[in-house]
Amino acid sequence: MSKALLYDATLCIGCKQCEQACAEKNQLPYNETVAGEERQSDHKFTVVLSKGDKFMRRMCMNCQDPACASVCPVGAMHKTAAGPVIYEESRCMGCRYCMVACPFGVPKYEWSKVLPRVQKCTMCADRVQAGKPTACAEACPTGATKFGERDELIKEAEQRLHDNPGKYVNHVYGLTEVGGTSVLMLSSVPFEEFGFPAELTRDPLPLLTYRVLSRIPDFVPLGGILLGGVWWITHRREEVAAAEAQESAEKEARKARKK
Amino acid sequence: MKFRLTFWKAVLIALLAAAAYATVVRFAQGLGRSTNLSDQFPWGLWIGFDVLCGVMLAAGGFTLTAAVHIFNLQRLKPIVRPTVLTAFLGYVLVCVALMFDLGRPYRIWHPLVMRNPHSVMFEVAYCVMLYTSVLALEFSPIVLERFRLERPLKIIRKALIPLVILGVILSTLHQSSLGTLYLIMPNKLHPFWYTPLLPVFFFLSAIAVGLAMTIFESSMSAKHFGRQLELPILQELGRVLLVVLAVYGILRIEDLVHRGVLQQLFAGAYQRYETLLFLLELVLALAAPLALLAFRRVRSSPGGLYLAAVLVVLGFITNRLNVSITGMESSAGLHYIPRWTELAVTGGIIASGFAMFGLAVKYLPIFPADEPLPAREEPQKAVGGNVVGEAIPEHAGD
């Protein structure tokens, strides 16, 4: 079954332990300056935002049917059965379509490097594979970030909404957004206030392009036959006209001879 | 031959020099320091202009080869060669531009072996690659004739019809797919431009621009290479352009009404910045040329046709830049302005296109008068001697 993370913003105390654990896991520098950065980047895969005493974590949502994986021409991004969406650096040619296509604006680029890579949270794919929770979930002192089976975490999130009426925005973010994500979120503050896109479709985004792309295998032979047919007709007409012209010319000639 | 420095040659050399310097900066320092691209705005001028507009401006190739070879409109034959030349140069330059834009250009061949058929970009990559090869083959008879290589010439002539058909199919696919690229971003692209019909609009406008570019190019060549204008041909293209624009216009307006965009626009629901560029696009690409071409007198005059063609080209360049840049700015939360290096590379690419066109016309049998075949209907003036780099627009009378 696929794994997921449940982040409950009401339990978060903004200690940024998850940020630090993430940096260590991904061998990225972490210090005061980095801790102060309030934006995901090529060296900061997760960020804890705050508004007064309210907090919110941003990270890769690891979509169930990810746009980034669908648009990548070389298949460098891909959704694993276990849940994480991973990136194979050796395939990537740097077209950056994944960055443009991601509805959450997650993939980041190493702009300062001559030969850059795309960078993003990959939900600790190697740890998850080994049966361990993600580094951020393990580091979280309050249980705000919880690792587990997606189905069970959905049940738990809905239970929390049910048990605490009025405490939360009545919505599990990530349950249906763009076909569902492997990161589920609960919050008392509307998600849009922390920059989450509102009004995402319930359908996976890749459907939008696949509806068009899937017609190509039919279009190619059909187009070929159609164009070939037009060519045959237009040139046949010419041949017939030429033959007729010749015939009438011969008739004329015969008439002339008879006279 | 003696080299004579003219004003336009000097401009050309300056543009190429700037581009050469920008190239060094781009590859020595990476994308971050040589462009104004960022995590919020990963696609800029090189994708918006060099790739999207470049492919569109080269659409005359498939439009005209289809008209002449498939629909057998032999009247148009004299302008097929310059159009195929433009298309071929256009696609080569698109590939060059991609080498600048890709983060790791040396992996440009990866889609050949690492396939993802669900990716629009994969499909575009394949189509562009195959179509560039098709164009090279369609163009090859001109080179083969020049060097009198009879045997390969015979083979190519036999394969011409299947090649043209393949070219039309590939063009239909990737011209529309450049619009499909944006279908996956319903939340990012501004409602002025995001519509499920994007692929249809990109395809139809490519045909319109293909026709307009052919008119533009023939007019320019007539002026600068001392050739007679193929006016009857251009008038015919003008009529077709009118029809294509009208179809595009009706669909576009219908789509805007259907999605409620026009109603919202009149209610003043949109930002002024996007609205202005949106209206500019509609006026340049649709309203003005439709109004011009609707009059027979304008449609039959060389000046009127030229003006309409230039408007259509500028209008749809605005459209492509609106889709790729203007329409993406509000969701990115910033205004993207290209850095000088980006402008220099794009300028250099355009300049080298003009230079190569000039060189090809000078040394290869591009225009009918130069063909070794017996001359056609109209008598042609001799091609001028010193022509390299003089094919630059707005160069009034020489």
Side-chain angles (χ1 to χ4, degrees), chain B residues 276-388:
Chain B
L276 281 178
L277 281 158
F278 173 66
L279 293 177
L280 177 73
E281 168 196 331
L282 290 190
V283 169
L284 284 179
L286 284 173
L290 275 174
L292 281 175
L293 291 171
F295 293 101
R296 167 171 288 167
R297 217 166 37 140
V298 179
R299 209 163 62 217
S300 331
S301 75
L305 279 168
Y306 180 73
L307 181 61
V310 170
L311 284 170
V312 169
V313 169
L314 289 179
F316 283 108
I317 287 179
T318 313
N319 167 257
R320 296 303 194 262
L321 292 179
N322 276 344
V323 170
S324 58
I325 294 173
T326 319
M328 300 293 283
E329 285 185 327
S330 66
S331 64
L334 52 80
H335 280 300
Y336 160 83
I337 293 156
R339 189 171 286 203
W340 73 267
T341 22
E342 291 174 81
L343 291 167
V345 167
T346 299
I349 283 175
I350 298 171
S352 54
F354 276 109
M356 287 196 285
F357 190 87
L359 283 172
V361 169
K362 192 171 172 187
Y363 293 108
L364 295 170
I366 303 292
F367 290 115
D370 321 335
E371 279 184 30
L373 302 168
R376 283 182 214 292
E377 310 95 294
E378 19 177 329
Q380 306 283 352
K381 270 198 241 164
V383 172
N386 256 326
V387 289
V388 181

Side-chain angles (χ1 to χ4, degrees), chain A residues 16-28:
Chain A
K16 303 200 176 188
Q17 300 254 15
C18 50
E19 285 187 6
Q20 188 164 4
C22 176
E24 272 165 29
K25 158 74 184 68
N26 292 294
Q27 295 169 334
L28 299 165

Side-chain angles (χ1 to χ4, degrees), chain A residues 39-42 67 69-75 89-97 99-103 105 107-109 111-117 198-200 205-206 208-210 212-213 216 219-220 223-224 227-228 230-231 234-235 238, chain B residues 26-33 35 37-40 42-43 69-72 74 101-108 110-111 114-123 161 165 168-169 172-173 177 180-188 194 199 328:
Chain A
R39 183 182 266 183
Q40 296 170 86
S41 64
D42 64 341
S70 149
V71 300
C72 181
V74 291
E89 185 258 313
S90 62
R91 287 174 167 251
C92 178
M93 57 178 189
C95 73
R96 311 187 296 286
Y97 193 11
M99 305 175 65
V100 183
C102 174
K108 303 297 179 193
Y109 211 48
W111 295 102
S112 56
K113 294 196 180 164
V114 175
L115 295 177
R117 291 172 296 178
E199 295 164 28
L200 286 176
L205 294 176
L208 294 170
T209 42
Y210 194 66
V212 180
L213 277 182
I216 291 176
F219 174 81
V220 172
L227 289 168
V230 171
W231 172 80
T234 56
H235 287 74
E238 207 173 53
Chain B
R26 153 70 185 92
F27 289 105
Q29 305 194 351
L31 283 169
R33 256 167 271 168
T35 67
L37 300 175
S38 61
D39 284 333
Q40 285 69 45
W43 281 358
H69 296 295
I70 307 293
F71 290 91
N72 205 11
Q74 293 295 332
D101 189 74
L102 289 180
R104 293 180 179 239
Y106 59 94
R107 288 179 178 167
I108 197 168
H110 273 194
M114 303 171 185
R115 295 145 195 237
N116 177 13
H118 283 245
S119 164
V120 184
M121 183 78 84
F122 168 79
E123 191 236 319
I161 296 303
I165 293 180
V168 174
I169 292 175
T172 310
L173 288 180
S177 287
T180 316
L181 278 182
Y182 289 87
L183 281 187
I184 204 157
M185 325 167 193
N187 298 86
K188 287 191 166 180
Y194 185 88
M328 300 293 283

Side-chain angles (χ1 to χ4, degrees), chain A residues 154-166:
Chain A
I154 290 170
K155 268 184 220 149
E156 184 167 341
E158 281 168 346
Q159 193 65 45
R160 287 188 203 174
L161 287 181
H162 183 260
D163 294 346
N164 304 282

Side-chain angles (χ1 to χ4, degrees), chain A residues 226-249:
Chain A
L226 200 73
L227 289 168
V230 171
W231 172 80
W232 188 77
I233 291 170
T234 56
H235 287 74
R236 177 78 190 148
R237 226 181 255 156
E238 207 173 53
E239 271 172 36
V240 169
E244 276 173 357
Q246 201 180 349
E247 248 171 51
S248 60

